[in-house]
Amino acid sequence: MTAPAFPDMANIKKRLLIEDDIVAAVSSLTAGSDDPRILISISRSLLASSSVVEDLKEQLHGQIIGVVSVLTEHTPYDKVFELANEITSSKATHLLSIGGGSVIDGGKIALLAANLQIRDAEALEELASSLGKTKDIATWPIQHIAVPTTLSGAEFTPIAGATSSITGRKTGFSHAFLLPDNIILCAPLSLHTPEKLWLSTGIRAVDHAVETICAPGVDHESAEFCANGLALLYRSMIETRKDPDSLIYRESSQLGVYYATAGISRYRMGASHGLGYLLGVLGNVPHGITSCVFLPAVLTYNLPVTEDPQTRIAGVLDVETASDVAPALKDFIGALGLPNKLSALGISEEAIAEIKSLALTHPVVQANPRPIKTVEDVAEIMALSG
């Protein structure tokens, strides 16, 4: 499925609202709608730990017509279809997605399924961006409001991923309409996010920025945006680790994600993302953690062909040379209390062997700046991962 999936950063900024009061933010975005019918899709953990749903119901005077909490990690197709069915049956005018990347990505794809009346995995699979299919979408009648509570960045992109019930792999979708209509950054809601999840998804955003800067042929503007995002994340996440209740640093991290996603859907990510997709599904590892273990190793592997962009990253991290970047990021990840070695995850030898094999045909791994042609190449990265 194609159609220009490259909204510029100014376009995204127009959709962005920074507001500590979630009720006020949602109310302002639906104020111009006649009889708004808001369906809330929320992560299970946030539903259990916060009063956000009760607050919205109490103050929006009947606009909330349903609450669902079905989307889970890695966004399985069957859960996407559950949400799509709720969207259709509720006759919602707005989908309010509150949660991490899985909730927001799942909302995007569920809206796609509901809008095009897709009811089975085979039909959904035909729209996967990897298959090069095209699909014209004339209208997108249901507004999507995304409220991220992690730093994964799904809210800022016109792409989405879900785990196929046919192949068992993460499948990508790309279309301009997948970019949420509005994005609310509400730092107080992130206080309910477990620290490890908040910080590890921040490393995922760091991964977005770094692999964009190192992407072959990256344009200056995208690289500059990503460098700004990396700088914000690098400084604010350490401060959040020291002072978890500070909303200033949490908001800085959220803005860092906005900048760090500048290259997503414009440039192919590299082996940190690609191996991370495989480790996520085969090892049941969250994508933030996959970036924690693979990003420094991939940077070391790629150094012979990415010295110039890594020199630029060295300036952001305040280290001397390109060869200092990978160790600095590995130390940074460790200082956040996150695992920075593959061996710390307890992945089975069977899963490791399958990752090595599948990596040789995985399109994102194969987009890596330094070619990965053999199982030995993959094994080298894994050895560098520790």
Side-chain angles (χ1 to χ4, degrees):
M1 179 178 57
T2 59
F6 311 113
D8 59 36
M9 298 301 285
N11 180 323
I12 298 175
K13 190 175 182 180
K14 290 177 183 176
R15 303 167 187 244
L16 183 59
L17 176 61
I18 302 173
E19 173 59 72
D20 285 353
D21 185 336
I22 185 63
V23 176
V26 173
S27 181
S28 70
L29 294 176
T30 60
S33 303
D34 293 330
D35 188 26
R37 296 172 55 82
I38 304 170
L39 177 66
I40 298 175
S41 173
I42 186 169
S43 66
R44 292 174 180 174
S45 59
L46 190 60
L47 181 62
S49 65
S50 77
S51 64
V52 60
V53 168
E54 289 77 8
D55 294 342
L56 287 164
K57 284 182 174 180
E58 180 181 345
Q59 298 188 51
L60 292 184
H61 308 296
Q63 294 182 28
I64 308 300
I65 48 90
V67 179
V68 291
S69 185
V70 298
L71 294 170
T72 57
E73 197 169 40
H74 302 302
T75 325
Y77 274 12
D78 61 331
K79 300 300 182 182
V80 170
F81 283 118
E82 280 189 52
L83 178 56
N85 290 338
E86 290 287 346
I87 292 169
T88 300
S89 62
S90 68
K91 299 181 180 179
T93 61
H94 295 76
L95 176 66
L96 179 61
S97 296
I98 309 175
S102 295
V103 170
I104 293 172
D105 266 6
K108 295 177 184 179
I109 303 171
L111 283 168
L112 176 70
N115 192 27
L116 299 180
Q117 298 182 20
I118 296 170
R119 296 182 175 86
D120 59 70
E122 289 77 10
L124 184 60
E125 198 87 348
E126 289 181 2
L127 297 179
S129 53
S130 60
L131 298 179
K133 301 289 185 180
T134 60
K135 184 71 177 181
D136 292 330
I137 300 177
T139 61
W140 194 261
I142 302 170
Q143 298 284 297
H144 191 192
I145 302 172
V147 186
T149 58
T150 70
L151 298 171
S152 62
E155 63 279 2
F156 293 121
T157 72
I159 61 176
T163 301
S164 172
S165 54
I166 298 173
T167 66
R169 292 193 188 187
K170 198 71 175 284
T171 303
F173 300 85
S174 176
H175 197 284
F177 275 122
L178 292 184
L179 183 68
D181 298 277
N182 297 104
I183 303 144
I184 301 171
L185 300 185
C186 182
L189 276 182
S190 73
L191 294 172
H192 299 280
T193 303
E195 181 183 82
K196 183 177 180 180
L197 178 59
W198 179 256
L199 296 175
S200 64
T201 54
I203 297 300
R204 188 64 169 178
V206 166
D207 202 347
H208 297 331
V210 167
E211 289 215 308
T212 297
I213 294 169
C214 293
V218 65
D219 68 275
H220 175 77
E221 184 180 37
S222 294
E224 188 68 20
F225 267 109
C226 287
N228 289 340
L230 177 60
L232 282 168
L233 288 159
Y234 190 64
R235 290 161 179 77
S236 64
M237 288 167 63
I238 283 291
E239 295 302 327
T240 295
R241 172 72 166 162
K242 295 176 183 175
D243 183 5
D245 293 330
S246 172
L247 296 180
I248 294 173
Y249 297 121
R250 288 174 176 269
E251 188 174 292
S252 291
S253 292
Q254 290 178 317
L255 289 173
V257 176
Y258 161 70
Y259 288 106
T261 55
I264 295 181
S265 81
R266 287 180 171 86
Y267 299 99
R268 298 294 291 271
M269 298 293 103
S272 180
H273 276 72
L275 292 174
Y277 293 140
L278 294 171
L279 179 60
V281 173
L282 297 173
N284 195 32
V285 177
H287 284 145
I289 300 299
T290 68
S291 292
C292 289
V293 300
F294 278 137
L295 179 58
V298 169
L299 283 167
T300 300
Y301 177 84
N302 285 341
L303 185 59
V305 300
T306 59
E307 185 172 358
D308 285 348
Q310 289 204 51
T311 298
R312 180 175 195 168
I313 294 168
V316 175
L317 304 185
D318 198 25
V319 296
E320 292 187 4
T321 68
S323 61
D324 296 319
V325 168
L329 283 176
K330 191 165 189 174
D331 289 345
F332 171 60
I333 292 164
L336 294 175
L338 300 170
N340 57 12
K341 294 181 179 180
L342 181 61
S343 57
L345 304 184
I347 307 301
S348 70
E349 289 299 322
E350 291 79 8
I352 294 293
E354 192 170 0
I355 291 169
K356 289 178 181 178
S357 174
L358 292 174
L360 301 183
T361 57
H362 194 285
V364 183
V365 177
Q366 292 305 304
N368 193 60
R370 181 182 172 189
I372 296 174
K373 298 180 178 179
T374 67
V375 170
E376 289 72 26
D377 292 335
V378 186
E380 181 180 344
I381 294 173
M382 290 189 165
L384 289 168
S385 299

